[in-house]
Amino acid sequence: MDAIVVEGGHPLTGQVRVGGAKNSALKLMAAALLAPGVTTLRNVPDISDVAVMAEVLERLGAHVVRTDHTLTIDATELTSHEAPYDLVVRMRASTCVLGALVGRLGRAHVAMPGGCNIGSRKIDIHVAALEQIGIEISTEHGYIDAEGAAHGAHVMLDFPSVGATENLLMASVLGDGETIIENAAREPEIGDLVAMLVGMGADIAGAGSPTITVTGVGTLHPVDHTVVGDRIEAGTYLIAGALDSGPVTVTGFDPDHLDIVLQKLERAGCVVSRFADGVTISRTGPIHALDIQTLPYPGFPTDLQAPFMALLALADGGSVVTENVFENRFIFADEIARMGADIRIDGHYALVRGVAALSGAPVRSPDLRGGAALVLAGLVAEGRTVVTDIHHIDRGYEGFVDKLRGLGAIVSRVDVTDPETA
Ligand code: EPU
């Protein structure tokens, strides 16, 4: 069992480069299924979720080859339309092959994702949207069966779901007629997917706005595409720099994609300098308490809620954190409380009363972002913090320990069976 061991109190400074966005790369890999031939994806992070998605594509008959950060996906012939439970249960995002399989083959048999550590994560919005564009859906024995060809429709999503927007895009791009998606998700990863699909020959307008219009085309061709920089990985290192005093420079992403986070970091007392593909952060005074509420993009990203809560745990007053996207994303608060944080949870609100210091402790990574946030807390805690269940962190952060070491952190990955004795 691997754990991350952090010795707190060592200053962070220097430069770190983020990779391609996990939440884009996974969907772009699915999108490659839409075109026969060999698609090349560059800037693909080397993380376990990408490895699972590669397995999904292989089961469908595609051939995936990784060379460093480049993937080639040969989707010349697909031999299956099934995303089986054993893979979907390992990574919920594999359900994004639903739209791509419907688009390419006119049918899909995809395991229902079920819940996960951050909430129940239903799929009803995906299903309703696909039905409106003419796909027949039935659910039986834990699987979604989808069949048919998209005929275009005016679809209003109940919520700007990232996954539903992506499935709808991929299911409609090769269909007939015009599909108008209202209340579409506006995340930069949607923009990246649309950019790739347009590169493949799709006709899509309005990405980045709440209304996306897809005009079906007959065929798509393979493409060579570079994955957008990971704004969430970048935000994680910037919050690390804010917790410590920095300066820390994070490159490889578009600062506009983190606009509200950077504004909140400034209000918390940090000095933030933006440049073309990155940001430098530093802090000399105290961390100021402030409120955040997570919302779909361009609101504050739920994926940075836990790291930001670690920062507010050391602020000069009380902060209210409101989680509006996932119902179960506060488990991290119970773990950081073991390090001395003072956090009260009431439904989807967390009241964070800043404390003077955190103390290192054995803690368990509850999920991907919560795990990373516990490591950040450990960087500024007194003494040693041992974070277990770090397979969650491996899902989304390439070389997390090495990148933090590059900034001067005393952190290592060890094989432990008993975190108390690590
Ligand atoms: N929802 C429904 N019904 C649906 C779809 C969504 O009720 O049919 C609910 C979800 O249960 C959730 C909310 O709507 O409460 C938001 O879900 P959304 O579909 O927008 O999110 P997602 O596509 O499941 C992606 C990212 C998440 C990120 C969210 C929000 C991937 C693989 N995952 O999830 O990333 O938090 O968008 O930005 O792209 C992470 O990277 O740690 C992560 C969880």
Short mmCIF file of all heavy atoms in Angstrom, two decimals, residues 68-112:
data_model
loop_
_atom_site.label_atom_id
_atom_site.label_comp_id
_atom_site.label_asym_id
_atom_site.label_seq_id
_atom_site.Cartn_x
_atom_site.Cartn_y
_atom_site.Cartn_z
N ASP A 68 5.52 8.46 -24.54
CA ASP A 68 5.66 9.65 -23.71
C ASP A 68 4.27 10.27 -23.48
O ASP A 68 3.39 9.60 -22.96
CB ASP A 68 6.66 10.62 -24.36
CG ASP A 68 7.17 11.65 -23.36
OD1 ASP A 68 6.99 11.45 -22.15
OD2 ASP A 68 7.72 12.67 -23.81
N HIS A 69 4.05 11.51 -23.91
CA HIS A 69 2.74 12.13 -23.68
C HIS A 69 1.86 12.16 -24.92
O HIS A 69 0.92 12.94 -25.01
CB HIS A 69 2.92 13.53 -23.09
CG HIS A 69 3.41 13.48 -21.67
ND1 HIS A 69 4.73 13.68 -21.34
CD2 HIS A 69 2.78 13.18 -20.51
CE1 HIS A 69 4.88 13.53 -20.04
NE2 HIS A 69 3.71 13.22 -19.52
N THR A 70 2.20 11.30 -25.88
CA THR A 70 1.41 11.23 -27.11
C THR A 70 0.70 9.88 -27.20
O THR A 70 1.31 8.84 -26.95
CB THR A 70 2.33 11.43 -28.33
OG1 THR A 70 2.94 12.71 -28.21
CG2 THR A 70 1.55 11.36 -29.63
N LEU A 71 -0.59 9.93 -27.52
CA LEU A 71 -1.34 8.69 -27.73
C LEU A 71 -1.72 8.62 -29.19
O LEU A 71 -2.18 9.62 -29.76
CB LEU A 71 -2.66 8.71 -26.95
CG LEU A 71 -2.71 8.52 -25.46
CD1 LEU A 71 -4.16 8.34 -25.02
CD2 LEU A 71 -1.89 7.33 -25.00
N THR A 72 -1.56 7.45 -29.79
CA THR A 72 -2.19 7.25 -31.10
C THR A 72 -3.32 6.24 -30.90
O THR A 72 -3.15 5.25 -30.18
CB THR A 72 -1.20 6.74 -32.17
OG1 THR A 72 -0.58 5.56 -31.69
CG2 THR A 72 -0.15 7.77 -32.50
N ILE A 73 -4.44 6.56 -31.47
CA ILE A 73 -5.63 5.71 -31.32
C ILE A 73 -6.09 5.31 -32.71
O ILE A 73 -6.51 6.15 -33.51
CB ILE A 73 -6.74 6.48 -30.59
CG1 ILE A 73 -6.25 6.90 -29.20
CG2 ILE A 73 -8.01 5.63 -30.49
CD1 ILE A 73 -7.11 7.95 -28.52
N ASP A 74 -5.94 4.02 -33.01
CA ASP A 74 -6.36 3.51 -34.31
C ASP A 74 -7.78 2.96 -34.15
O ASP A 74 -7.99 1.90 -33.55
CB ASP A 74 -5.39 2.42 -34.78
CG ASP A 74 -5.74 1.92 -36.17
OD1 ASP A 74 -6.85 2.24 -36.66
OD2 ASP A 74 -4.91 1.22 -36.77
N ALA A 75 -8.74 3.70 -34.67
CA ALA A 75 -10.15 3.30 -34.56
C ALA A 75 -10.69 2.86 -35.91
O ALA A 75 -11.87 3.04 -36.21
CB ALA A 75 -10.97 4.46 -33.99
N THR A 76 -9.80 2.30 -36.73
CA THR A 76 -10.21 1.89 -38.08
C THR A 76 -11.40 0.94 -38.02
O THR A 76 -12.38 1.09 -38.74
CB THR A 76 -9.02 1.20 -38.80
OG1 THR A 76 -7.94 2.12 -38.82
CG2 THR A 76 -9.39 0.81 -40.23
N GLU A 77 -11.29 -0.04 -37.10
CA GLU A 77 -12.38 -1.00 -37.00
C GLU A 77 -12.79 -1.16 -35.55
O GLU A 77 -11.93 -1.43 -34.69
CB GLU A 77 -11.89 -2.36 -37.53
CG GLU A 77 -13.01 -3.24 -37.98
CD GLU A 77 -12.50 -4.62 -38.36
OE1 GLU A 77 -11.29 -4.73 -38.69
OE2 GLU A 77 -13.29 -5.55 -38.31
N LEU A 78 -14.06 -0.97 -35.24
CA LEU A 78 -14.54 -1.22 -33.89
C LEU A 78 -15.23 -2.58 -33.88
O LEU A 78 -16.04 -2.87 -34.76
CB LEU A 78 -15.49 -0.11 -33.43
CG LEU A 78 -14.89 1.31 -33.38
CD1 LEU A 78 -15.89 2.28 -32.76
CD2 LEU A 78 -13.58 1.34 -32.61
N THR A 79 -14.87 -3.40 -32.90
CA THR A 79 -15.39 -4.77 -32.88
C THR A 79 -16.43 -4.99 -31.80
O THR A 79 -17.01 -6.06 -31.69
CB THR A 79 -14.22 -5.76 -32.65
OG1 THR A 79 -13.49 -5.31 -31.50
CG2 THR A 79 -13.30 -5.81 -33.85
N SER A 80 -16.66 -3.99 -30.97
CA SER A 80 -17.63 -4.14 -29.88
C SER A 80 -18.30 -2.79 -29.63
O SER A 80 -17.73 -1.74 -29.94
CB SER A 80 -16.91 -4.61 -28.61
OG SER A 80 -17.75 -4.46 -27.49
N HIS A 81 -19.51 -2.83 -29.06
CA HIS A 81 -20.15 -1.58 -28.67
C HIS A 81 -20.45 -1.59 -27.17
O HIS A 81 -21.32 -0.89 -26.70
CB HIS A 81 -21.43 -1.36 -29.49
CG HIS A 81 -22.49 -2.41 -29.26
ND1 HIS A 81 -22.37 -3.69 -29.73
CD2 HIS A 81 -23.66 -2.36 -28.59
CE1 HIS A 81 -23.43 -4.40 -29.36
NE2 HIS A 81 -24.22 -3.60 -28.66
N GLU A 82 -19.66 -2.40 -26.44
CA GLU A 82 -19.93 -2.55 -25.00
C GLU A 82 -18.82 -1.97 -24.13
O GLU A 82 -17.65 -2.32 -24.29
CB GLU A 82 -20.09 -4.03 -24.65
CG GLU A 82 -20.28 -4.22 -23.15
CD GLU A 82 -20.51 -5.67 -22.72
OE1 GLU A 82 -20.94 -6.48 -23.56
OE2 GLU A 82 -20.25 -5.96 -21.55
N ALA A 83 -19.20 -1.08 -23.21
CA ALA A 83 -18.28 -0.62 -22.16
C ALA A 83 -18.67 -1.38 -20.90
O ALA A 83 -19.69 -1.08 -20.28
CB ALA A 83 -18.40 0.89 -21.94
N PRO A 84 -17.89 -2.40 -20.53
CA PRO A 84 -18.34 -3.33 -19.48
C PRO A 84 -18.20 -2.75 -18.07
O PRO A 84 -17.43 -1.82 -17.83
CB PRO A 84 -17.41 -4.53 -19.67
CG PRO A 84 -16.19 -3.99 -20.31
CD PRO A 84 -16.59 -2.78 -21.10
N TYR A 85 -18.96 -3.36 -17.16
CA TYR A 85 -19.02 -2.89 -15.78
C TYR A 85 -17.65 -2.86 -15.11
O TYR A 85 -17.34 -1.93 -14.38
CB TYR A 85 -19.98 -3.79 -14.98
CG TYR A 85 -20.13 -3.37 -13.55
CD1 TYR A 85 -20.73 -2.15 -13.22
CD2 TYR A 85 -19.66 -4.17 -12.51
CE1 TYR A 85 -20.87 -1.75 -11.90
CE2 TYR A 85 -19.79 -3.77 -11.18
CZ TYR A 85 -20.40 -2.56 -10.89
OH TYR A 85 -20.52 -2.16 -9.59
N ASP A 86 -16.81 -3.88 -15.38
CA ASP A 86 -15.52 -3.94 -14.67
C ASP A 86 -14.66 -2.72 -14.97
O ASP A 86 -13.82 -2.33 -14.15
CB ASP A 86 -14.76 -5.24 -14.98
CG ASP A 86 -14.37 -5.35 -16.43
OD1 ASP A 86 -15.26 -5.33 -17.30
OD2 ASP A 86 -13.16 -5.45 -16.72
N LEU A 87 -14.86 -2.07 -16.12
CA LEU A 87 -14.09 -0.87 -16.42
C LEU A 87 -14.83 0.39 -15.97
O LEU A 87 -14.23 1.31 -15.40
CB LEU A 87 -13.78 -0.79 -17.91
CG LEU A 87 -12.77 -1.85 -18.39
CD1 LEU A 87 -12.61 -1.79 -19.89
CD2 LEU A 87 -11.41 -1.65 -17.70
N VAL A 88 -16.14 0.44 -16.20
CA VAL A 88 -16.91 1.64 -15.81
C VAL A 88 -16.85 1.83 -14.29
O VAL A 88 -16.74 2.96 -13.80
CB VAL A 88 -18.37 1.54 -16.30
CG1 VAL A 88 -19.20 2.71 -15.77
CG2 VAL A 88 -18.42 1.53 -17.82
N VAL A 89 -16.84 0.73 -13.55
CA VAL A 89 -16.80 0.85 -12.10
C VAL A 89 -15.46 1.43 -11.64
O VAL A 89 -15.38 2.08 -10.61
CB VAL A 89 -17.11 -0.52 -11.43
CG1 VAL A 89 -15.91 -1.45 -11.43
CG2 VAL A 89 -17.65 -0.33 -10.03
N ARG A 90 -14.42 1.21 -12.44
CA ARG A 90 -13.11 1.78 -12.08
C ARG A 90 -13.02 3.25 -12.44
O ARG A 90 -12.23 3.99 -11.86
CB ARG A 90 -11.98 1.01 -12.81
CG ARG A 90 -11.66 -0.30 -12.12
CD ARG A 90 -10.82 -1.20 -12.98
NE ARG A 90 -9.53 -0.65 -13.33
CZ ARG A 90 -8.76 -1.13 -14.30
NH1 ARG A 90 -9.15 -2.16 -15.00
NH2 ARG A 90 -7.60 -0.57 -14.55
N MET A 91 -13.78 3.66 -13.44
CA MET A 91 -13.73 5.08 -13.83
C MET A 91 -15.05 5.48 -14.48
O MET A 91 -15.35 5.12 -15.61
CB MET A 91 -12.59 5.33 -14.81
CG MET A 91 -12.41 6.81 -15.03
SD MET A 91 -11.21 7.16 -16.28
CE MET A 91 -11.99 6.46 -17.71
N ARG A 92 -15.80 6.27 -13.73
CA ARG A 92 -17.12 6.69 -14.16
C ARG A 92 -17.09 7.39 -15.52
O ARG A 92 -18.00 7.27 -16.34
CB ARG A 92 -17.67 7.64 -13.09
CG ARG A 92 -19.09 7.99 -13.27
CD ARG A 92 -19.43 9.22 -12.46
NE ARG A 92 -20.27 10.04 -13.29
CZ ARG A 92 -21.59 9.96 -13.32
NH1 ARG A 92 -22.20 9.14 -12.52
NH2 ARG A 92 -22.29 10.70 -14.14
N ALA A 93 -15.99 8.13 -15.77
CA ALA A 93 -15.92 8.91 -17.02
C ALA A 93 -15.95 8.03 -18.26
O ALA A 93 -16.16 8.53 -19.37
CB ALA A 93 -14.67 9.78 -17.03
N SER A 94 -15.76 6.71 -18.09
CA SER A 94 -15.80 5.86 -19.29
C SER A 94 -17.19 5.87 -19.93
O SER A 94 -17.35 5.46 -21.09
CB SER A 94 -15.32 4.43 -19.00
OG SER A 94 -15.74 4.00 -17.75
N THR A 95 -18.21 6.37 -19.20
CA THR A 95 -19.54 6.47 -19.82
C THR A 95 -19.55 7.46 -20.99
O THR A 95 -20.51 7.50 -21.74
CB THR A 95 -20.61 6.92 -18.80
OG1 THR A 95 -20.11 8.07 -18.14
CG2 THR A 95 -20.91 5.84 -17.79
N CYS A 96 -18.47 8.22 -21.16
CA CYS A 96 -18.47 9.17 -22.29
C CYS A 96 -18.32 8.45 -23.63
O CYS A 96 -18.48 9.07 -24.68
CB CYS A 96 -17.42 10.26 -22.12
SG CYS A 96 -15.76 9.67 -22.30
N VAL A 97 -18.05 7.13 -23.60
CA VAL A 97 -18.04 6.42 -24.89
C VAL A 97 -19.46 6.20 -25.40
O VAL A 97 -19.65 5.85 -26.57
CB VAL A 97 -17.28 5.07 -24.84
CG1 VAL A 97 -15.81 5.29 -24.50
CG2 VAL A 97 -17.93 4.08 -23.89
N LEU A 98 -20.46 6.41 -24.53
CA LEU A 98 -21.86 6.23 -24.95
C LEU A 98 -22.17 7.06 -26.19
O LEU A 98 -22.64 6.52 -27.21
CB LEU A 98 -22.78 6.61 -23.78
CG LEU A 98 -24.28 6.59 -23.98
CD1 LEU A 98 -24.79 5.21 -24.35
CD2 LEU A 98 -25.00 7.07 -22.72
N GLY A 99 -21.91 8.34 -26.11
CA GLY A 99 -22.22 9.23 -27.24
C GLY A 99 -21.40 8.88 -28.47
O GLY A 99 -21.91 8.88 -29.60
N ALA A 100 -20.12 8.57 -28.26
CA ALA A 100 -19.25 8.27 -29.40
C ALA A 100 -19.68 6.99 -30.10
O ALA A 100 -19.68 6.91 -31.34
CB ALA A 100 -17.79 8.18 -28.93
N LEU A 101 -20.07 5.96 -29.32
CA LEU A 101 -20.50 4.69 -29.94
C LEU A 101 -21.80 4.87 -30.71
O LEU A 101 -21.97 4.33 -31.80
CB LEU A 101 -20.65 3.61 -28.86
CG LEU A 101 -19.33 3.09 -28.28
CD1 LEU A 101 -19.60 2.19 -27.07
CD2 LEU A 101 -18.52 2.33 -29.33
N VAL A 102 -22.72 5.64 -30.12
CA VAL A 102 -23.98 5.92 -30.82
C VAL A 102 -23.68 6.66 -32.13
O VAL A 102 -24.21 6.34 -33.19
CB VAL A 102 -24.94 6.73 -29.93
CG1 VAL A 102 -26.07 7.31 -30.74
CG2 VAL A 102 -25.49 5.86 -28.81
N GLY A 103 -22.78 7.63 -32.05
CA GLY A 103 -22.43 8.41 -33.23
C GLY A 103 -21.82 7.56 -34.32
O GLY A 103 -22.18 7.66 -35.50
N ARG A 104 -20.89 6.70 -33.95
CA ARG A 104 -20.16 5.91 -34.96
C ARG A 104 -20.93 4.67 -35.39
O ARG A 104 -20.99 4.34 -36.58
CB ARG A 104 -18.80 5.51 -34.37
CG ARG A 104 -17.99 4.48 -35.17
CD ARG A 104 -17.11 5.10 -36.23
NE ARG A 104 -16.41 4.08 -37.00
CZ ARG A 104 -15.18 3.66 -36.75
NH1 ARG A 104 -14.50 4.18 -35.74
NH2 ARG A 104 -14.61 2.75 -37.52
N LEU A 105 -21.49 3.92 -34.41
CA LEU A 105 -22.07 2.61 -34.73
C LEU A 105 -23.59 2.59 -34.68
O LEU A 105 -24.21 1.61 -35.09
CB LEU A 105 -21.55 1.56 -33.72
CG LEU A 105 -20.04 1.35 -33.63
CD1 LEU A 105 -19.71 0.37 -32.50
CD2 LEU A 105 -19.46 0.85 -34.95
N GLY A 106 -24.19 3.64 -34.12
CA GLY A 106 -25.65 3.65 -34.00
C GLY A 106 -26.15 2.80 -32.85
O GLY A 106 -27.35 2.58 -32.70
N ARG A 107 -25.24 2.32 -32.00
CA ARG A 107 -25.68 1.57 -30.82
C ARG A 107 -24.57 1.52 -29.78
O ARG A 107 -23.37 1.64 -30.11
CB ARG A 107 -26.13 0.16 -31.18
CG ARG A 107 -25.05 -0.67 -31.82
CD ARG A 107 -25.63 -1.98 -32.30
NE ARG A 107 -24.55 -2.80 -32.82
CZ ARG A 107 -24.46 -4.11 -32.69
NH1 ARG A 107 -25.40 -4.78 -32.05
NH2 ARG A 107 -23.45 -4.77 -33.17
N ALA A 108 -25.00 1.35 -28.53
CA ALA A 108 -24.03 1.28 -27.43
C ALA A 108 -24.65 0.48 -26.30
O ALA A 108 -25.86 0.50 -26.09
CB ALA A 108 -23.68 2.69 -26.94
N HIS A 109 -23.79 -0.24 -25.58
CA HIS A 109 -24.21 -1.04 -24.42
C HIS A 109 -23.19 -0.68 -23.33
O HIS A 109 -22.06 -1.13 -23.35
CB HIS A 109 -24.12 -2.53 -24.81
CG HIS A 109 -24.58 -3.48 -23.76
ND1 HIS A 109 -25.88 -3.52 -23.29
CD2 HIS A 109 -23.92 -4.46 -23.06
CE1 HIS A 109 -26.00 -4.48 -22.38
NE2 HIS A 109 -24.81 -5.05 -22.22
N VAL A 110 -23.61 0.20 -22.43
CA VAL A 110 -22.65 0.81 -21.49
C VAL A 110 -23.13 0.59 -20.06
O VAL A 110 -24.31 0.88 -19.75
CB VAL A 110 -22.51 2.33 -21.78
CG1 VAL A 110 -21.64 3.02 -20.75
CG2 VAL A 110 -21.94 2.55 -23.19
N ALA A 111 -22.27 0.10 -19.20
CA ALA A 111 -22.64 -0.14 -17.80
C ALA A 111 -23.06 1.16 -17.14
O ALA A 111 -22.45 2.21 -17.37
CB ALA A 111 -21.48 -0.78 -17.06
N MET A 112 -24.11 1.09 -16.30
CA MET A 112 -24.53 2.28 -15.55
C MET A 112 -23.44 2.59 -14.52
O MET A 112 -22.93 1.69 -13.87
CB MET A 112 -25.82 1.98 -14.78
CG MET A 112 -26.98 1.59 -15.63
SD MET A 112 -27.94 3.01 -16.09
CE MET A 112 -28.88 3.25 -14.61
#
